[in-house]
């Protein structure tokens, strides 16, 4: 059943061809803007954050490729879930012979798979054609990268699931979404690699779950994490995924008791 939900999520987003084309265009434009910004910065500070120029530019385009797949700025399943909670339609979801969290996780995984293909491949290809990007030297790195992306998508889902469930108490998710959106942009490393952040700020940023969504997959792609360090990266991502998914399940158990109050 959950595989059917996943496939349905993929097909559903595949129907929005104009929106996908617009997203590809936007990601590509922002990729160029960030690339020229990085070029100016790395010209002044070569090896900033442990990256050379080619690695830094590859980091930019990896970020644009994962922006939608990992919902770094939101715009995924959480909008629909928030609306269903606000209207009380969530009660219908609870009557389904399926686990609520697994249902939405499956749907989001289908969405993320399409976004990675639909909005990720083209910008990365354009960036590789237009600039000298550092690409993996070993074929297995691509597989290692996809595993890291899958874990990053899982962490992203767990974060946004908690954000959506907060509406049971807040009644309006705008504030929580804004906080999560800003946190995702800053602490995922979308603006700058987290290795650039100084001192305690850098240590904290690299320890937060948002690092799993971009910084870690990017380092896997750039072969900064190999051997034992690769397994440590996976453990970091999987650890946050398990903690946040467990938190989501606990909050769900408490929150669904409010359906009668909020859903009528």
């Amino acid at each position: 059943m959950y595989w059917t939900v996943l496939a349905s999520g993929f097909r559903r987003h595949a129907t929005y061809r104009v929106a996908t084309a617009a997203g590809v265009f936007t990601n590509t434009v922002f990729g160029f803007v960030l690339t020229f910004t990085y070029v100016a910065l790395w010209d002044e500070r070569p090896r900033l954050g442990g990256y050379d120029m080619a690695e830094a530019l590859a980091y930019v385009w990896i970020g644009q490729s994962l922006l939608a797949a990992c919902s770094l700025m939101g715009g995924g399943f959480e909008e629909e879930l928030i609306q269903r909670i606000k209207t009380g339609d969530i009660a219908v979801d609870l009557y389904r012979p399926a686990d609520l969290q697994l249902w939405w996780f499956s749907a989001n995984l289908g969405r993320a798979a399409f976004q990675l293909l639909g909005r990720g491949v083209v910008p990365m290809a354009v960036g590789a054609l237009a600039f000298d990007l550092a690409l993996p030297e070993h074929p297995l790195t691509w597989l290692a990268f996809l595993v890291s992306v899958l874990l990053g998508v899982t962490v992203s889902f767990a974060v946004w699931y908690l954000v959506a469930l907060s509406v049971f108490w807040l009644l309006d998710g705008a504030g929580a979404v804004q906080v999560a959106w800003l946190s995702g942009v800053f602490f995922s490393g979308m603006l700058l690699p987290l290795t650039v952040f100084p001192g305690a700020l850098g240590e904290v940023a690299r320890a937060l779950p948002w690092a799993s969504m971009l910084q870690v997959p990017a380092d896997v792609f750039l072969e900064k994490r190999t051997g034992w360090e690769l397994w440590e990266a996976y453990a970091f991502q999987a650890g946050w995924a398990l903690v946040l998914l467990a938190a989501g399940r606990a909050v769900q158990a408490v929150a669904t008791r409010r359906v009668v109050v909020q859903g009528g």
Side-chain angles (χ1 to χ4, degrees), residues 66 77 85 111 137 141 211 254:
L66 297 182
F77 76 98
I85 294 172
R111 179 206 62 83
E137 296 181 0
T141 300
V254 177

Side-chain angles (χ1 to χ4, degrees), residues 112-227:
F114 173 76
Q115 296 292 8
L116 184 63
L117 294 173
R119 290 184 57 175
V121 173
V122 174
M124 189 67 186
V126 171
L129 290 173
F131 303 98
D132 181 21
L133 307 185
L135 298 175
E137 296 181 0
H138 305 287
L140 287 178
T141 300
W142 291 95
L143 177 59
F145 171 67
L146 290 177
V147 172
S148 185
V149 170
L150 175 60
L151 290 170
V153 168
T154 303
V155 173
S156 173
F157 165 80
V159 169
W160 285 109
Y161 191 70
L162 285 168
V163 171
L165 291 183
S166 71
V167 178
F168 276 105
W169 289 272
L170 300 177
L171 305 185
D172 186 353
V177 168
Q178 279 290 96
V179 171
W181 178 84
L182 291 171
S183 300
V185 170
F186 188 77
F187 289 114
S188 68
M190 196 179 84
L191 298 178
L192 280 172
L194 299 182
T195 53
V196 175
F197 290 15
L201 176 60
E203 294 293 332
V204 171
R206 290 188 289 273
L208 292 175
W210 290 280
S212 299
M213 304 177 196
L214 173 55
Q215 181 68 59
V216 174
D219 280 344
V220 172
F221 182 90
L222 295 171
E223 298 177 335
K224 300 288 185 180
R225 304 288 192 106
T226 58

Side-chain angles (χ1 to χ4, degrees), residues 26-81:
T26 302
N27 289 148
T28 303
V29 169
F30 273 97
F32 276 96
V33 172
L34 284 174
T35 294
F36 290 122
T37 303
Y38 272 46
V39 167
L41 185 58
W42 259 258
D43 275 341
E44 295 293 324
R45 298 283 301 276
R47 300 295 305 179
L48 180 62
Y51 300 102
D52 60 26
M53 180 71 79
E55 291 170 337
L57 298 189
Y59 184 94
V60 169
W61 292 96
I62 294 168
Q64 293 305 306
S65 297
L66 297 182
L67 179 62
C70 289
S71 297
L72 299 180
M73 299 176 67
F77 76 98
E78 75 283 350
E79 295 178 354
E80 182 179 356
L81 180 54

Side-chain angles (χ1 to χ4, degrees), residues 12-24 114:
R12 176 183 178 185
H13 286 83
T15 60
Y16 300 114
R17 296 183 179 87
V18 174
T20 300
V24 168
F114 173 76

